[in-house]
Amino acid sequence: MRISDMAKRIEPSLTRRLFDMAKAYDNVIDFTLGDPDYETPEYAKKAGCEAIMAGKTKYAANAGIAELRNVVSARIERETGIHYDPTSEIQISVGAMEGLFLTLCCLVNPGDEVIIPSPHWVNYRHMTQMLNGVPVLVDAKECDDFVIRPEAIREAVTDKTVAIILNTPNNPTGAVYDKDTIEQICKIAIEKDLVIIWDECYKSILFDGAKYTSILDFPGMKEHAVVINSCSKRYSMTGWRVGYLAGPAELVTNMPKLQENIAACVTVPSQYAAIKALSSDDTEPDRMRAGFERRRNVLVEGINSIDKLSVRSPKGTFYAMVNIQKTGMSSEEFAYALLEKEQVAVVPGITYGDACEGFVRMAFTMDENKITEGVNRIRRFVDAL
């Protein structure tokens, strides 16, 4: 059997590899996947169950249930003041992940370049490669809190560039882009007629009283951006697989025909659960955010008390990039040895680009007691080096 070059070119991420390896241990503390341990809110679970019992289990429109598209449009307008037509500028997707892929499918021809600030979520790179596009990784530095410098973006733009992917709050670093940086990158996009693919999946998880800055806060960006989000992180609905995006009609109206050939539609009961979640103004997401902030504080304090390790306090998400350079180990060596000797699973930084060699990523999606135990095991491991 002949396997396609594309299938052979794409390799499993080290995130999943370490997650799978961790399953071999009985007493593992797993900091690998960004899968919150909080339950989906009861009102969303109830709405999904009621949809099933009411027989709402058939195919839906490729673009998503009209009611859900209306809810998404209304929510974006309420938060940003920008109106998107639910019929032509909103697409419901199988998680934000498929929304990103649909967007890239509509933008990237073979040889086209997509600028990706790095450290980066590895799927950005893989999706671009699957479409025979060229991912252009632009490194952000720890001394800049892993926020990319706009001049580095400008230097990376060529006549083959079609898009820039920005993710803030950021996976894997927890970095949050400041208003001035976003504004300068927006000006580059408008000047060069590029699309900014704006991944805001972690917008509800900001710390220290920070307020969210949207790409839509800047003039002209409705025409130059695709805004992508999901219910996964805000409502702890990772397994429900409901995402959504908003963008210019000339782009978004091409997506239903692609969806028809990829997944037909998002699971219908999940869409009804999303309607309820996105229509709600309850405080459950705020409770989860406060919990993640407490967990961040426990992790940061603990790691910074370990000789040879350090971590900058992430400003959002539930991820932290731990600097291990003083151990003299590569990120893969550190992660594999830590799992073997202390049954603690972390992700090698090299997963997220060369800029993160010398780091490991830790997801603080568990209660404080487990985080403390994990930190104690890491301390024991480092002390024994």
Side-chain angles (χ1 to χ4, degrees):
M1 180 182 296
R2 185 175 68 84
I3 305 301
S4 73
D5 292 339
M6 183 276 286
K8 290 187 286 188
R9 187 168 62 244
I10 305 301
E11 298 182 355
S13 72
L14 290 176
T15 308
R16 284 287 178 176
R17 185 181 301 173
L18 267 295
F19 172 75
D20 291 339
M21 289 175 63
K23 291 183 177 297
Y25 297 90
D26 294 330
N27 189 31
V28 71
I29 296 180
D30 189 352
F31 291 103
T32 58
L33 294 190
D35 197 355
D37 61 340
Y38 291 110
E39 284 289 327
T40 300
E42 287 298 319
Y43 54 79
K45 291 194 286 188
K46 183 179 178 182
C49 292
E50 288 177 348
I52 293 171
M53 298 310 295
K56 296 176 180 178
T57 56
K58 307 298 183 182
Y59 289 124
N62 301 131
I65 295 171
E67 184 181 353
L68 179 52
R69 282 180 279 150
N70 287 331
V71 167
V72 169
S73 175
R75 187 176 190 96
I76 293 174
E77 186 166 7
R78 185 167 70 250
E79 293 178 346
T80 68
I82 302 297
H83 176 73
Y84 284 92
D85 183 345
T87 63
S88 62
E89 296 181 317
I90 301 290
Q91 170 73 41
I92 308 304
S93 59
V94 182
M97 185 180 292
E98 193 205 18
L100 287 157
F101 188 62
L102 288 171
T103 301
L104 289 167
C105 283
C106 291
L107 291 173
V108 176
N109 285 316
D112 285 344
E113 295 176 353
V114 177
I115 294 175
I116 304 171
S118 186
H120 64 287
W121 188 47
V122 67
N123 300 75
Y124 298 148
R125 173 163 46 93
H126 287 172
M127 290 178 188
T128 303
Q129 292 172 329
M130 288 169 68
L131 297 168
N132 293 309
V134 180
V136 178
L137 305 183
V138 181
D139 288 350
K141 302 181 184 301
E142 186 186 28
C143 61
D144 294 323
D145 286 330
F146 292 115
V147 173
I148 198 71
R149 293 182 177 181
E151 57 267 29
I153 295 287
R154 182 177 290 279
E155 291 172 3
V157 174
T158 72
D159 58 2
K160 294 183 179 180
T161 306
V162 295
I164 304 166
I165 299 179
L166 293 180
N167 170 218
T168 177
N170 178 264
N171 173 14
T173 66
V176 176
Y177 279 43
D178 60 276
K179 186 174 182 179
D180 182 63
T181 297
I182 299 169
E183 184 174 25
Q184 290 186 58
I185 296 174
C186 287
K187 289 179 178 178
I188 295 170
I190 292 173
E191 176 189 337
K192 302 294 186 180
D193 194 25
L194 305 175
V195 174
I196 292 181
I197 301 173
W198 182 256
D199 179 351
E200 61 175 27
C201 287
Y202 297 91
K203 65 180 287 186
S204 64
I205 309 174
L206 288 165
F207 304 136
D208 306 318
K211 302 297 182 184
Y212 182 68
T213 300
S214 169
I215 195 80
L216 298 175
D217 293 341
F218 302 93
M221 290 317 297
K222 183 183 177 184
E223 295 75 27
H224 284 86
V226 177
V227 177
I228 297 174
N229 207 330
S230 80
C231 294
S232 292
K233 305 306 191 288
R234 180 179 179 87
Y235 301 103
S236 197
M237 293 175 64
T238 53
W240 294 76
R241 309 310 301 138
V242 187
Y244 55 89
L245 62 85
E250 62 180 317
L251 182 81
V252 175
T253 51
N254 284 284
M255 294 183 181
K257 63 187 178 185
L258 302 180
Q259 180 70 292
E260 180 181 359
N261 290 284
I262 295 174
C265 64
V266 176
T267 304
V268 173
S270 293
Q271 292 194 59
Y272 281 100
I275 290 170
K276 188 66 175 179
L278 291 168
S279 301
S280 172
D281 290 320
D282 82 313
T283 59
E284 182 64 13
D286 294 329
R287 185 184 72 84
M288 289 190 282
R289 187 215 59 78
F292 288 129
E293 185 164 359
R294 290 192 299 271
R295 295 170 180 191
R296 177 204 63 170
N297 294 341
V298 170
L299 179 68
V300 168
E301 181 180 354
I303 291 295
N304 283 332
S305 70
I306 299 175
D307 186 40
K308 298 182 181 179
L309 301 188
S310 64
V311 59
R312 292 188 175 222
S313 187
K315 296 180 179 180
T317 75
F318 34 64
Y319 304 111
M321 294 299 294
V322 176
N323 189 320
I324 63 164
Q325 293 169 13
K326 290 183 179 179
T327 68
M329 304 175 76
S330 74
S331 59
E332 286 191 78
E333 290 171 340
F334 185 96
Y336 295 140
L338 177 62
L339 180 59
E340 178 184 356
K341 295 182 182 299
E342 293 291 346
Q343 289 76 64
V344 175
V346 298
V347 184
I350 194 65
T351 304
Y352 310 108
D354 292 343
C356 258
E357 182 53 281
F359 295 81
V360 294
R361 190 195 77 171
M362 298 177 66
F364 43 96
T365 52
M366 62 194 73
D367 66 49
E368 290 96 321
N369 290 333
K370 282 189 177 180
I371 292 172
T372 298
E373 171 61 21
V375 168
N376 288 337
R377 294 185 192 185
I378 294 171
R379 186 192 315 277
R380 190 164 61 214
F381 169 76
V382 173
D383 288 347
L385 291 176

